[in-house]
């Protein structure tokens, strides 16, 4: 949250209710000191002597993983208060944070033997003597915990295995699971408090995936009788829910449930009156909708794209403006780094030569759809007395998730493939993901899964194979311009509540979520309420209204995975089944059943493989997926059925895929040649270049090891993309003539030295909290937004410059700041601070291509206009020097203005990673690194 016990500021007034709650909280802390008030972990078992590793493990000790901060995400009220007063923490709360953080300073000399210093041993089973607890929530399942608290769940029946998975998930993440089932229903504020960020978050999810309870159930019912696997999946999910609920009952009765329930008023800290609501299958659907919206969708930016196109045409005329828009869009940039580089082509979602059915909004007519109605109390203000449990823009801010490095055995020291991969899901305390091992009939896997969905391992390893994913983001979401109408013959305006579907005036579905909140110990936001309202058509959810050719329309968002969040369950089931995955073919068969947009990677002792998943709709001929489309039968998805939100999808053979390519890298980049990028920014400079250049060099040298591939990952993780791939050209332009100003020459020399040494953002020594090359880093941070403005703004003009910032933010620095401004306001896509993930979204390619054009270097897929200095080298150099001088004059406090965690001017802290508290326990701030959150390092020496 964090959940803080606060003292009032001098003169501040606090309600009697808050003072009473605070007194009750402190009284409960005293009660917790007596026998019986135990942590959830201590309540579950006792230490045992351990057991040998499982016989079905073919990794031979060469599999590792890590997931900071720690496996234990539950803390009682007494634990939370002790953390606030004494700094103590329950066991296994943050014991993976130190090793994870330490890699940033220790990777240069890394050896295979040292990997266990920075990663867990992810072998099956637990070494003898390292079992720290055991529990048997049912006779047919045993849960053992290892030295970092990871649950190893072994069932003699499949029901028992899944029951144990649910029980262990509740032990480790009950509060987080509860938060997200409320987020997924757009009702977070009534559960966790009315803080502005909580409201912003529930609003964004209600806009992305609103459902009635009947519709959540309908997704389950649709799977119930499809086939044997879907039936088994629902049986597994129900066993999992049963395990969660048994733990809820036991922990509530024993009073060792998460203390956040006390602090948010769900349970009375003194009397234990209240309740923790049991879980049900529809909660898992709500959770799945959150994960799908965050990490498994793509497209939907067509209105922003249209704004760029219109502004470019207004500036340069229709023909040249259209060419400029296409070059800025970079849907199929020939210089973009691609995961598949073996000559394969997978045409999909490319801009057509002669677009059909495009619905360009009338300029200035687009108005975002009203979401909030009937606001009362604190809902009428954005002020808040407490931070939210999650960033308010968790969904709406652009995300770059996950990376993968996989090398074929042909190029490794052992002759077996090596993989270093994992999801970049953000940093939270506790984590959204949890670790587990599942062993039971038809299930054999260890790895990570999202809390509340961990009835299968979602990313991890099987007996003799490992798999992982990165967010792919290919275009499965389209914007339709739906003609509005009235059923009573009254004049049609953009406010109309009916629309034309195949010539029939049809009322919109109206989906309403009523939210209300009151102050609690955790969140003292005053009482308030509102209704969230989304209108839904057969062409998707209404996101905006306006006119096209003077006619009122609703702009809707149609996503292929909407109403199908649970369909992917079978794919994950298959990944956990050793009878299915016996090689690349079984792996690809499994992930073909996942309808989220992910890039999937695989390694065993002999092979590597890749597959891009997702329900890719087959569009009507001539439709441009990058622009709004008229809602007419001729322009619908092929085979579209609005009743079920199904359509014809591209067959598996047309999805990017490969087996045994020399190496694979992915950092949310373009998948393959001719596979159209959904948004802006997949051009010549992308953060995946940092991986590609390093792995390509390793492969060329040969003899790749787990340690050397980990080094490549971490070297990329501490490198500034701008410094490595754009700064050389900036310096070349500046160096085309002598720099006569001594102070400016000194700044140029600082930048030159930093770039020559590798453009790293690393501490002078581990724990120093000061960067080597701090001055150069500060200058580049200050310079980038000034550069983007100075180079691009004069040529684009105000309208196009503003529109382009709406389609692609100009910067994504580690601190989350320095995004530049548009008419005095920061970009709507400003990054989340302290999140680690950096350098995916920015105008890197635009400046790279433009500067190379000015320098006379060859550029494939150049911008349709030259911008820097109007294309003249001398004038461009003047722009660079002037903006550099401005940047050098900015103080550290201006570049890093500080926040609730960092003092103004503290460069290291501005970048640093904060495990954002989802509950009452807080963790240490760690040095920045651009790296997966959960990560595996694997090499299998043998196979079944």
């Amino acid at each position: 949250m964090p959940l803080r016990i606060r003292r009032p500021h001098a003169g501040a007034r606090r309600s009697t209710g808050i003072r009473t709650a605070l007194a009750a909280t402190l009284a409960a802390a005293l009660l917790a000191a007596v026998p019986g008030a135990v942590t959830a972990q201590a309540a579950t078992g006792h230490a045992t002597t351990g057991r040998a590793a499982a016989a079905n493990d073919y990794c031979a000790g060469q599999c590792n993983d890590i997931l900071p901060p720690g496996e234990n995400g539950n803390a009682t009220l007494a634990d939370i208060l002790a953390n606030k007063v004494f700094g103590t923490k329950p066991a296994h709360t943050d014991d993976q944070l130190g090793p994870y953080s330490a890699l940033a300073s220790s990777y240069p000399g890394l050896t295979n033997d040292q990997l266990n210093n920075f990663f867990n041993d992810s072998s099956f089973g637990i070494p003898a003597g390292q079992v720290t607890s055991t529990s048997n929530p049912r006779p047919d399942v045993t849960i053992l915990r290892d030295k970092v608290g990871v649950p190893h769940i072994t069932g003699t029946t499949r029901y028992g295995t899944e029951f144990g998975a649910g029980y262990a998930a509740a032990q480790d993440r009950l509060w987080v699971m509860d938060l997200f089932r409320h987020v997924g229903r757009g009702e977070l504020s009534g559960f966790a408090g009315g803080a502005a960020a909580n409201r912003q978050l529930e609003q964004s999810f209600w806009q992305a995936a609103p459902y009635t309870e009947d519709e959540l159930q309908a997704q389950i019912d649709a799977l119930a009788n499809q086939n044997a696997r879907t039936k088994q999946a629902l049986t597994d999910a129900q066993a999992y829910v049963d395990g969660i609920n048994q733990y809820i009952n036991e922990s509530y009765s024993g009073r060792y449930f998460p203390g956040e329930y006390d602090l948010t008023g769900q349970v009375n800290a003194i009397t234990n009156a209240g309740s923790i609501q049991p879980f049900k299958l529809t909660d898992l659907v709500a959770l799945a909708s959150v994960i799908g919206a965050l990490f498994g969708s793509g497209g939907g930016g067509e209105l922003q794209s249209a704004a760029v196109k219109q502004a470019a045409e207004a500036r340069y005329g229709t023909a040249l403006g259209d060419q400029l828009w296409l070059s800025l869009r970079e849907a199929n940039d020939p210089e973009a780094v691609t995961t598949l580089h073996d000559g394969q082509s997978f045409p999909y979602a490319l801009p057509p030569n002669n677009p059909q059915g495009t619905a360009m909004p009338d300029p200035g007519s687009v108005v975002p759809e009203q979401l909030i109605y009937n606001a009362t109390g604190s809902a009428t203000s954005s002020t808040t007395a407490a931070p939210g449990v999650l960033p308010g823009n968790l969904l709406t801010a652009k995300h770059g998730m996950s990376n993968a490095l996989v090398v074929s055995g042909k190029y490794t020291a052992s002759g077996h493939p090596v993989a270093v991969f994992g999801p970049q899901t953000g940093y939270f305390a506790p984590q959204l993901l949890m670790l587990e091992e599942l062993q039971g009939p038809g299930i054999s896997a260890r790895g990570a899964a999202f809390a509340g969905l961990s009835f299968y391992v979602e990313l991890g390893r099987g007996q003799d194979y490992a798999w992982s994913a990165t967010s792919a983001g290919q275009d499965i979401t389209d914007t339709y311009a739906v003609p509005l109408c009235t059923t009573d013959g009254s004049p049609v305006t953009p406010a109309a509540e009916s629309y034309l579907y195949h010539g029939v005036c049809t009322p919109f579905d109206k989906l309403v979520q009523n939210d209300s909140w009151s102050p609690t110990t955790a969140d003292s936001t005053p009482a308030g309420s509102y209704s969230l309202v989304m209108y839904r058509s057969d062409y998707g959810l209404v996101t905006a209204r306006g006119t096209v050719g003077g006619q009122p329309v609703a702009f809707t968002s149609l996503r292929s995975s909407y109403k199908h969040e649970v369909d992917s369950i079978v794919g994950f089931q298959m990944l956990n089944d050793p009878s299915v995955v016996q090689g690349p073919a079984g792996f690809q068969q499994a992930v073909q059943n996942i309808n989220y947009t992910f890039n999937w990677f695989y390694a065993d002792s002999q092979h590597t493989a890749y597959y891009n998943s997702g329900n890719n709709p087959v569009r009507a001929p001539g439709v441009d997926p990058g622009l709004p489309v008229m809602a007419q039968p001729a322009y619908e998805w092929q085979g579209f059925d609005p009743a079920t939100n199904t359509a014809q999808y591209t067959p598996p053979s047309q999805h990017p895929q490969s087996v045994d390519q020399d190496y694979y890298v992915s950092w949310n980049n373009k998948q393959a040649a001719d596979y159209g990028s959904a948004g802006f920014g997949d051009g010549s400079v992308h953060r995946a270049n940092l991986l590609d250049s390093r792995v390509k060099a390793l492969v060329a040298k040969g003899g790749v090891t787990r340690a050397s591939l980990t080094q490549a990952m971490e070297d990329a993780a501490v490198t500034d993309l701008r410094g490595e791939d754009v700064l050389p050209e900036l310096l070349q332009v500046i160096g085309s003539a002598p720099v006569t100003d001594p102070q400016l020459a000194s700044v140029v020399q600082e930048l030159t030295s930093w770039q020559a040494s590798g453009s790293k953002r690393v501490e002078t020594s581990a724990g120093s909290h000061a960067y080597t090359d701090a001055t150069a880093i500060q200058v580049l941070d200050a310079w980038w937004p000034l550069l983007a403005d100075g180079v691009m703004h004069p040529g684009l003009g105000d309208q196009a410059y503003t529109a382009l910032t709406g389609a692609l933010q100009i910067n994504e620095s580690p601190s989350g700041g320095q995004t530049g401004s548009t008419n005095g306001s920061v970009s709507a896509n400003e990054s989340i601070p302290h999140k680690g993930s950096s350098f995916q979204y920015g105008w890197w390619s635009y400046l790279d291509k433009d500067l190379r054009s000015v320098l006379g270097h060859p550029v494939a897929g150049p911008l349709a206009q030259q911008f820097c200095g109007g294309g003249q080298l001398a004038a461009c150099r003047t722009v660079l020097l002037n903006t550099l001088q401005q940047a050098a004059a900015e103080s550290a406090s201006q570049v890093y203005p500080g926040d609730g965690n960092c003092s103004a001017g503290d460069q290291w802290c501005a970048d640093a990673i904060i495990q954002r508290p989802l509950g009452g326990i807080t963790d240490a701030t760690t040095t920045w690194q651009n790296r997966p959150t959960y990560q595996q390092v694997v090499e299998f020496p043998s196979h079944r």
Side-chain angles (χ1 to χ4, degrees):
M1 278 185 187
L3 295 171
R4 294 171 178 156
I5 309 302
R6 294 178 175 80
R7 293 184 177 88
H9 295 295
R13 296 179 179 179
R14 297 182 63 90
S15 71
T16 301
I18 292 294
R19 290 196 299 269
T20 302
L22 179 57
T25 298
L26 296 175
L30 296 176
L31 290 174
V34 304
V38 294
T39 66
Q41 194 71 20
T44 62
H46 55 276
T48 67
T49 57
R51 63 181 175 86
N56 59 355
D57 187 351
Y58 290 81
C59 213
Q62 296 185 167
C63 288
N64 297 87
D65 66 8
I66 194 160
L67 177 62
E71 179 58 28
N72 182 17
N74 275 356
T76 66
L77 180 59
D79 292 330
I80 292 171
L81 292 172
N83 175 250
K84 302 307 176 192
V85 177
F86 305 112
T88 57
K89 298 177 184 179
H92 309 308
T93 298
D94 63 351
D95 50 0
Q96 296 182 63
L97 184 55
Y100 181 93
S101 177
L103 187 64
S105 59
S106 304
Y107 78 91
L110 188 69
T111 65
N112 280 351
D113 291 340
Q114 295 171 338
L115 285 170
N116 283 338
N117 296 335
F118 307 100
F119 296 87
N120 309 315
D121 180 351
S122 62
S123 299
F124 283 173
I126 305 176
Q130 293 187 15
V131 176
T132 57
S133 72
T134 183
S135 58
N136 298 93
R138 281 173 50 92
D140 54 356
V141 63
T142 299
I143 303 173
L144 302 179
R145 300 264 177 182
D146 62 25
K147 64 181 181 179
V148 292
V150 174
H152 299 253
I153 301 152
T154 302
T156 57
T157 68
R158 190 173 178 110
Y159 180 91
T161 307
E162 293 294 2
F163 185 98
Y167 191 90
Q171 286 180 308
D172 291 345
R173 294 291 191 279
L174 178 57
W175 174 249
V176 173
M177 291 155 54
D178 220 340
L179 283 178
F180 274 94
R181 66 170 165 172
H182 286 86
V183 170
R185 286 183 171 87
E187 56 182 25
L188 179 63
S189 57
F191 179 71
N198 289 350
R199 287 179 266 147
Q200 183 185 355
L201 185 59
E202 70 187 0
Q203 291 162 21
S204 64
F205 273 100
W206 190 248
Q207 289 175 305
Y211 294 112
T212 66
E213 285 300 306
D214 286 345
E215 289 170 343
L216 294 176
Q217 183 63 46
Q219 291 203 44
I220 295 168
D221 295 342
L223 291 181
N225 297 305
Q226 280 190 17
N227 54 54
R229 281 205 172 272
T230 59
K231 290 179 182 179
Q232 182 64 65
L234 291 181
T235 301
D236 292 343
Q238 185 59 60
Y240 179 81
V241 166
D242 293 345
I244 294 171
N245 289 336
Q246 178 162 316
Y247 181 79
I248 288 175
N249 292 336
E250 292 176 359
S251 63
Y252 182 77
S253 298
R255 301 189 72 168
Y256 53 83
F257 54 83
E260 291 87 356
Y261 287 104
D262 295 298
L263 294 170
T264 56
Q266 314 296 322
V267 178
N268 186 287
I270 302 297
T271 67
N272 216 38
S275 65
I276 301 173
Q277 292 300 308
F279 273 67
K280 51 191 177 182
L281 287 179
T282 50
D283 292 325
L284 306 193
V285 182
L287 281 160
S289 71
V290 172
I291 302 309
L294 274 175
F295 308 118
S297 62
E302 292 82 13
L303 284 174
Q304 292 86 349
S305 179
V308 176
K309 177 177 166 66
Q310 289 176 321
E313 290 175 352
R315 179 76 168 178
Y316 288 102
T318 301
L320 184 55
D322 187 56
Q323 289 301 311
L324 177 58
W325 165 73
L326 283 168
S327 67
L328 292 169
R329 183 175 161 191
E330 297 179 321
N332 195 26
D333 191 273
E335 294 182 329
V337 63
T338 55
T339 296
L340 299 186
H341 53 257
D342 56 1
Q344 295 189 81
S345 170
F346 292 90
Y348 178 70
L350 294 172
N353 291 327
N354 297 296
Q356 303 295 311
T358 300
M360 297 298 286
D362 295 333
S365 72
V366 177
V367 177
E369 181 72 351
Q370 182 178 345
L371 174 68
I372 299 171
Y373 292 80
N374 306 320
T376 69
S378 58
T380 62
S381 171
S382 62
T383 59
T384 179
V389 291
L390 286 159
N393 60 349
L394 181 65
L395 177 61
T396 54
K398 288 195 172 185
H399 295 79
M401 301 295 171
S402 319
N403 71 29
L405 305 81
V406 183
V407 175
S408 167
K410 182 178 179 180
Y411 304 97
T412 65
S414 66
H416 302 294
V418 175
V420 178
F421 45 25
Q424 200 160 348
T425 53
Y427 296 92
F428 302 97
Q431 249 300 325
L432 308 184
L433 295 165
M434 58 171 287
L435 293 172
E436 64 181 354
E437 179 184 351
L438 299 177
Q439 300 289 349
I443 302 173
S444 183
R446 181 226 159 94
F450 285 99
L453 298 172
S454 56
F455 44 95
Y456 303 133
V457 170
E458 294 172 333
L459 304 148
R461 53 155 302 202
Q463 296 176 358
D464 54 5
Y465 60 93
W467 77 94
S468 191
T470 68
S471 292
Q474 76 263 21
D475 199 343
I476 64 167
T477 308
D478 283 347
T479 297
Y480 281 90
V482 181
L484 294 170
C485 60
T486 57
T487 56
D488 59 3
S490 59
V492 180
T493 71
E497 296 191 2
S498 299
Y499 66 100
L500 284 175
Y501 179 72
H502 292 196
V504 178
C505 192
T506 306
F508 288 109
D509 292 337
K510 186 177 182 180
L511 302 169
V512 181
Q513 173 61 48
N514 296 313
D515 290 312
S516 62
W517 54 89
S518 299
T520 67
T521 304
D523 184 346
S524 54
T525 303
S529 66
Y530 54 39
S531 296
L532 303 180
V533 178
M534 283 296 292
Y535 287 94
R536 183 174 61 194
S537 74
D538 284 336
Y539 289 103
L541 301 164
V542 177
T543 62
R545 295 175 187 250
T547 60
V548 172
Q551 300 302 307
V553 300
F555 292 102
T556 64
S557 178
L558 184 64
R559 170 167 56 92
S560 68
S561 55
Y562 182 64
K563 295 187 178 180
H564 297 277
E565 272 83 4
V566 299
D567 292 8
S568 297
I569 193 171
V570 167
F572 291 109
Q573 181 193 77
M574 295 170 74
L575 286 170
N576 283 238
D577 188 341
S579 72
V580 172
V581 184
Q582 301 185 49
F587 156 73
Q588 291 184 336
Q589 178 192 2
V591 296
Q592 284 167 15
N593 286 278
I594 295 173
N595 68 350
Y596 297 141
T597 57
F598 286 119
N599 302 303
W600 294 96
F601 298 88
Y602 169 91
D604 62 24
S605 67
Q606 303 168 20
H607 299 289
T608 61
Y610 163 81
Y611 186 85
N612 166 253
S613 71
N615 281 352
N616 293 353
V618 178
R619 294 176 174 86
V623 165
D624 190 333
L627 292 171
V629 183
M630 285 303 302
Q632 298 175 6
Y635 309 120
E636 294 175 0
W637 293 344
Q638 300 293 284
F640 178 59
D641 181 354
T644 56
N645 195 40
T646 55
Q648 180 183 340
Y649 307 117
T650 58
S653 61
Q654 294 179 18
H655 285 241
Q657 59 195 283
S658 169
V659 175
D660 292 333
Q661 185 175 262
D662 53 354
Y663 70 90
Y664 301 99
V665 296
S666 176
W667 213 347
N668 319 112
N669 53 290
K670 187 177 177 66
Q671 289 81 8
D674 302 318
Y675 204 61
S677 299
F680 289 61
D682 273 354
S684 57
V685 176
H686 189 285
R687 67 177 181 176
N689 297 33
L690 297 171
L691 298 180
D692 191 65
S693 61
R694 287 159 175 78
V695 178
K696 183 183 292 184
L698 285 179
V699 166
K701 183 179 179 181
V704 178
T705 65
R706 288 183 296 143
S708 65
L709 197 59
T710 302
Q711 286 178 303
M713 175 280 301
E714 189 63 25
D715 195 65
V718 296
T719 298
D720 190 308
L721 173 66
R722 305 163 304 178
E724 180 159 305
D725 282 356
V726 186
L727 183 57
E729 294 146 10
L730 293 166
L731 293 172
Q732 190 173 350
V733 170
I734 289 174
S736 61
V739 179
T740 56
D741 183 314
Q743 289 184 316
L744 204 52
S746 176
V747 172
V748 171
Q749 184 55 50
E750 291 267 11
L751 290 169
T752 302
S753 298
W754 177 56
Q755 196 279 324
S757 64
S759 304
K760 302 288 186 289
R761 300 174 81 102
V762 293
E763 292 177 281
T764 54
S765 60
S768 71
H769 293 188
Y771 279 152
T772 303
D773 300 302
T775 299
I777 293 168
Q778 179 183 316
V779 167
L780 184 59
D781 283 343
W783 194 18
W784 188 264
L786 298 172
L787 268 175
D789 186 278
V791 169
M792 303 293 292
H793 200 155
L796 288 171
D798 290 345
Q799 183 183 352
Y801 184 83
T802 300
L804 190 57
T805 61
L808 179 68
Q809 63 197 55
I810 66 170
N811 196 22
E812 189 183 23
S813 68
S815 72
Q818 309 98 46
T819 58
S821 62
T822 303
N823 298 330
S825 62
V826 295
S827 166
N829 291 321
E830 185 169 357
S831 303
I832 301 170
H834 304 296
K835 66 185 175 69
S837 181
S838 309
F839 299 128
Q840 179 172 1
Y841 298 106
W843 290 11
W844 336 121
S845 292
Y846 301 156
L847 267 68
D848 167 67
K849 286 178 179 288
D850 193 58
L851 291 170
R852 285 189 288 133
S853 292
V854 169
L855 287 164
H857 297 172
V859 181
L863 301 183
Q865 280 287 294
Q866 289 186 322
F867 289 95
C868 188
Q872 301 300 310
L873 179 60
C876 178
R877 180 175 181 273
T878 298
V879 170
L880 301 193
L881 287 174
N882 287 344
T883 53
L884 179 60
Q885 193 160 39
Q886 288 179 263
E890 290 190 14
S891 68
S893 294
Q894 290 174 291
V895 183
Y896 312 107
D899 54 30
N901 301 286
C902 303
S903 300
D906 189 334
Q907 181 184 53
W908 176 88
C909 187
D911 282 8
I913 293 172
I914 292 176
Q915 314 291 316
R916 184 177 178 109
L918 300 183
I921 301 293
T922 56
D923 291 316
T925 299
T926 59
T927 195
W928 174 77
Q929 48 183 323
N930 197 1
R931 174 185 174 192
T933 317
Y934 167 64
Q935 193 166 48
Q936 299 182 79
V937 179
V938 296
E939 180 180 18
F940 290 91
S942 62
H943 203 71
R944 281 172 284 167

